[in-house]
Amino acid sequence: MKKPEGASALVICALGWSLGGVFLKYVNVNSFAIAGLRSTFAFLVMAVFTRQLPHFYVKDEVSGKIDRAQTIYLWLSALSYAATMIMYVISNKLTYAANVIFLQYTSPVWVILFSAIILGEKNRKIDYITFAGIAVGMVLFFADSLMENQSGEFAETALLGNTIAALSGVTWAATTLFQRKQQLLIAEKIRETGKIPSHNTSKDAFMLAQIITASFGLPFIFLMERGVPDLRSLTFLLLLGLLQMGIPNIMYSIGIKKVTALSASLITMIEPLMNPVWVFLFVHEIPTVKCIVGGVIILGFILLREFVSKKR
């Protein structure tokens, strides 16, 4: 069976990530413990599926010495992704879930701003058109949640929560940029030496990020209430590690090899679109008309960009 590559691998990744909303509804554990346990299971899933443990540094295939540039970007990617996961959990404790997701998915703005500088990947007119269309769709998609009266539960902490969520958008963009930079450095080495690396540094970065996040979250099993999962919670935490984090991260590490950073950033925006779909199918919560229209607009612009890109 042929492995998915490029855009198709990223679509599978986004679909997996989108399962988080529905799975988390069945987990009765505090958010920090969820992050730790999910990352623990995700690490184990990735280790089993890839039959490898992560590399903590990258060796030059010819000289055998540590490749400083690749090792730096390996850790920048791992730390950025771990920061994204941790800040997602923290911001959810301080502000509304819709705010968190909306602000985290401002990441394409940062990718557009820095992809040319860090990666040398120039954006095209269709990229800016797509982003503008997605921005309109995102506003509609989250309109009802964002415009609700938010003077209640998070009145005193919403500003801090929104700030942290916005920062998670920056770190998620950084993850995408550094993951892509790793692949460009590898491609350059292959051209110079003709030797293909023995391991996938993008996958290594994701596994290292899971170790960092697990180290942060696992102590909260004992430090906060609702830390120890019951059988149902444990089952869905395992599913989160397998279907919502482990396999999607493997797919992302495959897909980022073949597409630009901006393409990866835009394609994975399928994730927030599918979240209410799964919730509707499994929990029977009906999305609003604005949510549906916004989702159609976002998906339409993503498909338009892919169509135009393939024609070129």
Side-chain angles (χ1 to χ4, degrees):
M1 183 178 174
K2 188 178 178 181
K3 288 183 179 179
E5 293 186 359
S8 59
L10 290 169
V11 168
I12 295 170
C13 167
L15 291 173
W17 281 343
S18 70
L19 291 168
V22 67
F23 285 173
L24 285 170
K25 288 184 178 291
Y26 298 98
V27 178
N28 186 29
V29 177
N30 73 69
S31 299
F32 298 104
I34 287 174
L37 288 164
R38 180 182 66 173
S39 284
T40 300
F41 294 138
F43 174 84
L44 294 173
V45 166
M46 295 184 74
V48 169
F49 274 68
T50 62
R51 300 179 185 177
Q52 287 183 334
L53 292 174
H55 295 75
F56 291 83
Y57 56 86
V58 182
K59 276 189 176 182
D60 186 287
E61 296 287 332
V62 176
S63 67
K65 296 179 180 179
I66 293 176
D67 187 315
R68 289 183 63 187
Q70 288 200 56
T71 301
I72 288 170
Y73 281 106
L74 167 70
W75 278 100
L76 285 173
S77 178
L79 290 168
S80 297
Y81 190 49
T84 302
M85 291 189 284
I86 291 168
M87 283 196 287
Y88 177 84
V89 170
I90 294 172
S91 57
N92 263 295
K93 300 291 286 186
L94 299 172
T95 189
Y96 297 85
N99 296 28
V100 175
I101 297 169
F102 182 81
L103 290 166
Q104 188 176 83
Y105 274 91
T106 57
S107 58
V109 175
W110 304 106
V111 173
I112 287 172
L113 288 174
F114 291 103
S115 57
I117 299 169
I118 296 174
L119 308 175
E121 293 180 343
K122 292 183 179 180
N123 301 313
R124 299 162 300 160
K125 187 183 291 185
I126 186 63
D127 296 328
Y128 296 109
I129 293 170
T130 301
F131 177 73
I134 286 175
V136 172
M138 287 288 282
V139 170
L140 280 171
F141 189 78
F142 289 103
D144 293 301
S145 297
L146 294 173
M147 288 190 296
E148 283 178 356
N149 181 6
Q150 299 189 356
S151 61
E153 182 183 359
F154 299 110
E156 296 180 2
T157 61
L159 178 60
L160 177 60
N162 291 341
T163 302
I164 294 171
L167 287 173
S168 76
V170 177
T171 57
W172 176 228
T175 304
T176 303
L177 291 166
F178 296 144
Q179 287 267 348
R180 181 61 181 160
K181 184 67 174 181
Q182 288 177 268
Q183 299 308 317
L184 293 176
L185 289 172
I186 290 170
E188 187 179 323
K189 284 288 183 182
I190 292 172
R191 287 193 297 270
E192 290 175 359
T193 66
K195 291 195 173 185
I196 299 174
S198 57
H199 59 93
N200 184 329
T201 56
S202 291
K203 180 265 298 176
D204 290 334
F206 276 129
M207 293 182 78
L208 292 173
Q210 303 301 347
I211 293 173
I212 295 166
T213 307
S215 300
F216 166 81
L218 288 177
F220 289 94
I221 294 175
F222 309 103
L223 294 176
M224 290 180 69
E225 294 181 359
R226 296 188 300 110
V228 179
D230 57 23
L231 182 58
R232 187 180 78 165
S233 294
L234 186 62
T235 300
F236 279 94
L237 283 164
L238 283 166
L239 288 173
L240 282 163
L242 174 66
L243 299 177
Q244 195 260 334
M245 191 62 71
I247 292 174
N249 284 355
I250 294 171
M251 289 294 103
Y252 191 96
S253 69
I254 293 170
I256 196 66
K257 295 179 182 180
K258 297 292 180 75
V259 304
T260 65
L262 184 57
S263 290
S265 186
L266 295 176
I267 291 169
T268 52
M269 290 189 80
I270 293 171
E271 176 197 354
L273 303 189
M274 288 302 298
N275 200 305
V277 174
W278 299 127
V279 172
F280 169 69
L281 290 175
F282 292 100
V283 188
H284 308 299
E285 290 182 7
I286 300 173
T288 66
V289 173
K290 287 178 185 174
C291 179
I292 294 169
V293 172
V296 170
I297 290 172
I298 295 169
L299 188 58
F301 274 95
I302 292 172
L303 292 174
L304 173 65
R305 182 180 180 276
E306 289 303 304
F307 176 75
V308 171
S309 299
K310 285 186 177 180
K311 285 198 74 175
R312 295 190 178 192

